[in-house]
Amino acid sequence: KRKMSFVAPEKTTFQTAEKVNELENRIGATDVLNLSIAIDEGINIFVTLDADMLHNKQLEKEFGIEIKSPYEF
């Protein structure tokens, strides 16, 4: 059974977003913010269709999160 929740950005989210953008600047601002929220909330899998984010090893390693396509489920 998978757990899903909804969250809003915290103050630290914007600091995380800056780090994400430094590592990968091809990602749009909304995607960076959504990924940063997931990172700050301790989510271990982030699901996206964005090709620049999918299986981005540098982001996955830096933040300890898997970035997957919905088709992988």
Side-chain angles (χ1 to χ4, degrees), residues 5-10 13 16-17 20 30-47 53 63-67:
S5 61
F6 297 91
V7 295
E10 299 287 335
T13 303
T16 302
V20 169
T30 303
D31 289 329
V32 168
L33 184 58
N34 288 330
L35 177 61
S36 298
I37 291 169
I39 291 166
D40 283 354
E41 289 295 319
I43 305 300
N44 51 356
I45 299 175
F46 183 78
V47 181
M53 293 175 73
F63 298 106
I65 192 167
E66 292 181 67
I67 304 172

Side-chain angles (χ1 to χ4, degrees), residues 15-27 32 35-36 39 52-53 56-65 67:
Q15 296 166 339
T16 302
E18 287 179 10
K19 292 177 188 174
V20 169
N21 198 48
E22 287 172 9
L23 291 173
E24 181 55 78
N25 61 9
R26 297 175 296 166
I27 302 171
V32 168
L35 177 61
S36 298
I39 291 166
D52 292 325
M53 293 175 73
N56 185 312
K57 297 300 178 199
Q58 189 173 13
L59 291 174
E60 291 179 330
K61 182 178 178 182
E62 179 72 22
F63 298 106
I65 192 167
I67 304 172

